Amino acid sequence: MSSVDTPTFLQDGKALSPEDLARVENALEDIHLKELKSDVPTPPAVFGAGGPMLKRFDQSTAVSRITSQAVTPPRSVVGIGNKVAKPDYSEAKIVVAMVGLPARGKSYLSNKLMRYLKWLEYDVKVFNVGQLRRSRARQKAQQSGKKEDHTASYFSHANAEATKLRDQLAEDSLEMLIQWLKEGGNVGIHDATNSTRSRRAKIEQRVAKEKGIVVIFLESVCDDPAVIAANVALKVSSGDPDYKDMSRETAEKDFLRRIKEYEAVYETITEPSLSYLRIRNVGDQVTLCHIHGYLQSRIAFYLMNLHLKPRSIFFSRHGESQYNVEGKIGGDSPLSERGMRYARALPDLIKDNIGDAPLTVWTSTLQRTIQTAQFLPYNKLTWKSLDELDAGVCDGMTYEEIEQAYPEDFANRDEDKFNYRYRGRSFTLLLFLVVITHDLGGESYRDVVVRLEPVIMELERQENILIVGHQAILRCLYAYFHNLPQADLPYIKIPLHTVIKLTPKAYGCDEERYTLPIGAVDTHRPKPGAKSFDSSSIGNTAREYYGAN
Ligand code: F6P
């Protein structure tokens, strides 16, 4: 690697061919042209929003942003009555050390992994060394009045002083991470390039000193010029503080030079003793080495299912059911007359959105979702895991009836809805003169999250999917995509006769809602005494540079 003027991209130690480089540059040019037209640097979106069918329905048809409801944080669960405590994850202590050149999607993978594990209630935190570098530099500038130069030359191996500073930052960040794990965290993600053997050896040696903490390395390799170009464009245009005072062109050149500085010393993982996962072009190929243990395997399995193809995920509750009209929960009732109208209208709404793109429809095994999906001309799949939250003994009752029959349970659920598990239906068996009483069914939101994990895994693997589901189920899935806390999850508003379209982006999901003007009851029961919260931050797909400005 001689000159820093002609950027080359190393792949497992090999430089990209001139043809590949030309493709990176072409892809960057394409992105520029698109942005000139749209102002916003977004990956290609497959679907257009709004269509003739909606307009036909009603001029006022709303494509609204999110409206979900917040709640107070749950009180600690002490195992009383029907509240079920969180599983004990205190033994799980993992350092996930990222490895890879800049613009290879390390932060993307870190954030995805964090979202998934947090949804499963692990305590996860990303320690981003770039952010630490910027905040330290800000402090120094305040104290000395001198601004540290963080352009490409700062990242050159030939710059001994800066190399020392950068090594120190990576070490300090690892120390903070280890400290955080000791204080109760489960998975700390070290988001840095960690691109040399010596850096990885240091991490391995440091973590080995801590009993009960293990390290796995996660290397992101990318030789797809379009993805690299998209990442470069995202970096320089997403408000990254490193580039906020530069023109787009200068920033891009500088970032490409920074990549080249890293390439000069980059060593892909070949160390035989390391526990690692290597992902090539997110979704193309995964290599696993020495991955042991339950949580490590789970992390590996999740990462193996990811892909970057543009797609959308649609959520719709079933049409209004007869039980909805009567205010009853659970059951397996058919659709009301208005619910049937929604079922008939749904195919045109979906067609307006996706045109001829392929789509698969998932329903639960309950007739209200199957009836709602019946006119949709797509492949369908029925999932038992998508059945509504099991209300146990309360199944088929109204909320008022539950309050009368089980006042204590009702209050418990209001106090901590995520953890509350409905009483199961009791049944008694007489076996060889022994009476056995057993509880069957009855779920909490947590139980539902656990049973939806395979659905999330499959959703990550798939492309365009429409889920025709139930209120509690869609709340759990929605919370995963928007990274919402468990305490808020059971109060998210998922109204009837509304399609929610989620489009995954680099750092989150874009959302659009389409409400058909077919009346339906409101089944949302707010938390008594709680204030509704401002949901405008949900659906934000921008990269967060917290504490960086
Ligand atoms: O009311 C419709 C419904 O789908 C019920 O079948 C289910 O028990 C309920 O919503 C779940 O919502 P919540 O958890 O707010 O009671």
Side-chain angles (χ1 to χ4, degrees), residues 317-318 324 327-331 368 388-389 391 399 413 417 422 445 470-472 475 490 523-525:
R317 280 177 71 186
H318 52 77
N324 290 150
K328 293 179 176 167
I329 65 166
R368 53 194 186 276
E388 182 54 309
L389 182 148
Y399 288 121
R413 189 164 198 258
K417 199 171 170 189
Y422 277 109
Y445 270 89
H470 303 268
Q471 178 159 253
R475 280 174 177 158
T523 60
H524 183 266
R525 189 178 166 274

Side-chain angles (χ1 to χ4, degrees), residues 459-480:
L459 262 179
E460 287 294 358
R461 273 168 26 83
Q462 294 290 331
E463 295 184 25
N464 301 319
I465 296 287
L466 162 62
I467 300 184
V468 180
H470 303 268
Q471 178 159 253
I473 298 300
L474 294 180
R475 280 174 177 158
C476 295
L477 297 174
Y478 183 93
Y480 165 78

Side-chain angles (χ1 to χ4, degrees), residues 105-119:
K106 294 184 301 301
S107 296
Y108 169 80
L109 288 174
S110 307
N111 283 313
K112 268 304 272 195
L113 184 60
M114 175 168 72
R115 179 147 51 102
Y116 164 69
L117 293 172
K118 276 177 118 171
W119 185 70

